[in-house]
Amino acid sequence: NENGWTIKLGDQAATLTCPDLPTPANQVTFTRPANTEAIRDLVVQELQADTDAIEDTSLTTVEESPPPSLQDPTDLQLPRQDPVIDLRPPTNQTNQSQDPQSVPCVDPVTPEELGIEFLVRCLGRVKIGDFEPDADTKPWTYIKSPELVVLLALNPKGLHKDTAVKHLWPQDPHNLGNYRRLSRALSEARIKILGRKTDGSYRVPNIRGKSIVTFDDTVGTDIQIFEETINRANAATDRDTEIGHLRNALALVTGAPFTLPNTISGYGWDINHRENLTIQIEDTATRLYELTKTASPAIALEAAKAGLRTGTQNYHLKQCWLEAANALEDSDEVALATIAINQDDFAAEPQEIETQTPQYLKASMDLIETKGKK
């Protein structure tokens, strides 16, 4: 404050000290609060309580060259070992540019625009229309029916019956009984799951006597919406529109592609789809991060975390997360990003956690200790 007070933090207590004042008026000790905001409040209380005593001193040098006020903006740094720190609040002069709401919204691509009447979601937990595979109430009874819907939705040109059987029953693809099971699943998909189009015809054509299994083109996936959204970002003529489309694309991602109730590994036959989608999502997140890291670090943070939503161990995106968190001076996000980096086998060395949040610090230290014992 204007009288030159500083604070020294110990493990259990904090001490206010003013070297220009005589003992004992130059020192106040109190139990250390849980966070810096509480410390700041307590400092103000102590200074107000001691105003009369300070004004009674004959020291004039303090008034001639006062240090900065507690209200002046500056960075708050918290070294680990009994630091003497400046408690002035951190500056944040770019709130408007950092606020995601300050970027104009871009209308998302809708299923209707793509002619999709029945939507299958694959960018996270699999969802077929309004139902997840483990729903208590669902329109199918045969376990392979929803898997067939996902399989054919990803192959709009259709699949040969032999290929469908190999995907659905890979352990016994030559069993002729599997073709009867395929017909059963297809019939249930036609009648109970996909139903009829607006014109009254079924979305699953009758394949009797045909070798190709297919759906009507009114059945689509959120992957198609994702890809169309990226196409619109590529065609954007201004930065804000491009950012808006990229944010909309990442908003479609809710987890690892093809996540099933008991596994994130998908069906098995979808491995190429999963790997390609994960790469597309990572690339989209990196692109959005690079566009916004300077002017809108809050959106950059959102982008990095969205790219990691798939469960990928992308070290670059974790570093992006940490950089954006530091730019925002968000200690909780810094801690979480640091823990994520320390979990990565490609990290050269553990990052330093610059936070006083005890649970995050403990979690990271426990993790580092565990890795050291391996």
Side-chain angles (χ1 to χ4, degrees):
N1 78 333
E2 62 184 11
N3 295 294
W5 289 82
T6 59
I7 184 169
K8 184 175 182 181
L9 300 180
D11 291 336
Q12 303 297 328
T15 303
L16 282 170
T17 304
C18 183
D20 295 327
L21 297 180
T23 303
N26 73 333
Q27 194 171 87
V28 180
T29 301
F30 50 86
T31 302
R32 180 177 176 177
N35 54 59
T36 55
E37 192 65 32
I39 294 175
R40 190 177 297 116
D41 292 343
L42 194 49
V43 169
V44 172
Q45 294 174 16
E46 290 292 343
L47 293 179
Q48 290 175 345
D50 289 345
T51 298
D52 294 338
I54 294 172
E55 290 177 350
D56 286 342
T57 65
S58 58
L59 297 176
T60 58
T61 56
V62 175
E63 296 179 356
E64 293 174 358
S65 56
S69 167
L70 281 172
Q71 302 304 316
D72 291 340
T74 187
D75 292 334
L76 180 61
Q77 299 180 348
L78 301 174
R80 286 177 181 273
Q81 299 297 327
D82 292 338
V84 174
I85 61 173
D86 189 339
L87 290 182
R88 292 171 291 185
T91 183
N92 189 356
Q93 301 176 357
T94 57
N95 281 342
Q96 293 301 317
S97 65
Q98 293 174 3
D99 184 2
Q101 301 301 324
S102 67
V103 177
C105 293
V106 175
D107 291 336
V109 178
T110 64
E112 292 75 18
E113 290 180 71
L114 304 183
I116 298 174
E117 296 179 3
F118 189 96
L119 184 64
V120 178
R121 297 186 181 276
C122 303
L123 297 175
R125 284 181 66 92
V126 170
K127 191 172 183 180
I128 300 164
D130 296 327
F131 301 93
E132 295 185 358
D134 62 340
D136 293 334
T137 303
K138 46 189 178 286
W140 60 83
T141 56
Y142 187 40
I143 191 173
K144 286 296 182 179
S145 298
E147 184 176 351
L148 176 63
V149 171
V150 176
L151 176 62
L152 293 182
L154 292 171
N155 294 275
K157 294 182 179 180
L159 287 177
H160 195 281
K161 289 181 179 179
D162 294 345
T163 303
V165 166
K166 288 178 182 178
H167 281 325
L168 296 174
W169 295 277
Q171 296 175 340
D172 193 15
H174 303 296
N175 186 334
L176 295 180
N178 289 333
Y179 289 87
R180 292 192 301 273
R181 298 182 184 95
L182 176 62
S183 295
R184 175 186 172 186
L186 196 60
S187 177
E188 192 167 59
R190 176 189 297 113
I191 299 171
K192 295 184 177 181
I193 302 178
L194 300 180
R196 299 177 185 269
K197 298 189 292 182
T198 53
D199 64 5
S201 61
Y202 282 110
R203 293 191 175 94
V204 182
N206 193 320
I207 63 166
R208 185 173 299 172
K210 299 178 181 179
S211 59
I212 301 298
V213 184
T214 187
F215 285 167
D216 184 86
D217 59 8
T218 59
V219 179
T221 68
D222 54 353
I223 298 172
Q224 294 170 250
I225 299 175
F226 179 88
E227 292 174 344
E228 173 60 22
T229 305
I230 297 301
N231 290 338
R232 296 188 186 187
N234 295 339
T237 56
D238 63 88
R239 177 180 174 276
D240 283 348
T241 301
E242 180 182 2
I243 289 173
H245 284 307
L246 294 176
R247 294 180 74 192
N248 288 342
L250 291 174
L252 294 167
V253 181
T254 60
F258 303 100
T259 297
L260 296 173
N262 298 318
T263 178
I264 63 170
S265 300
Y267 294 105
W269 51 260
D270 57 0
I271 183 169
N272 290 333
H273 289 288
R274 282 189 285 119
E275 290 177 350
N276 291 335
L277 281 170
T278 299
I279 292 172
Q280 288 183 58
I281 293 166
E282 290 176 344
D283 289 347
T284 302
T286 301
R287 176 179 172 183
L288 180 57
Y289 174 83
E290 293 297 332
L291 281 171
T292 58
K293 64 180 180 181
T294 302
S296 305
I299 298 179
L301 178 72
E302 167 195 306
K305 295 177 72 173
L308 294 167
R309 212 174 284 152
T310 62
T312 179
Q313 294 299 313
N314 187 306
Y315 183 65
H316 174 67
L317 282 176
K318 293 180 180 181
Q319 287 282 7
C320 291
W321 179 8
L322 180 61
E323 290 170 8
N326 276 320
L328 291 168
E329 298 180 357
D330 188 328
S331 61
D332 285 358
E333 290 291 349
V334 167
L336 289 170
T338 302
I339 293 172
I341 289 172
N342 288 338
Q343 290 174 326
D344 198 315
D345 292 336
F346 294 100
E349 60 185 15
Q351 303 292 312
E352 191 74 10
I353 296 182
E354 297 178 357
T355 179
Q356 276 193 311
T357 314
Q359 59 268 38
Y360 294 147
L361 181 59
K362 183 179 185 303
S364 183
M365 294 302 101
D366 289 347
L367 179 63
I368 295 171
E369 182 179 355
T370 301
K371 291 179 67 174
K373 292 179 180 178
K374 291 182 179 180

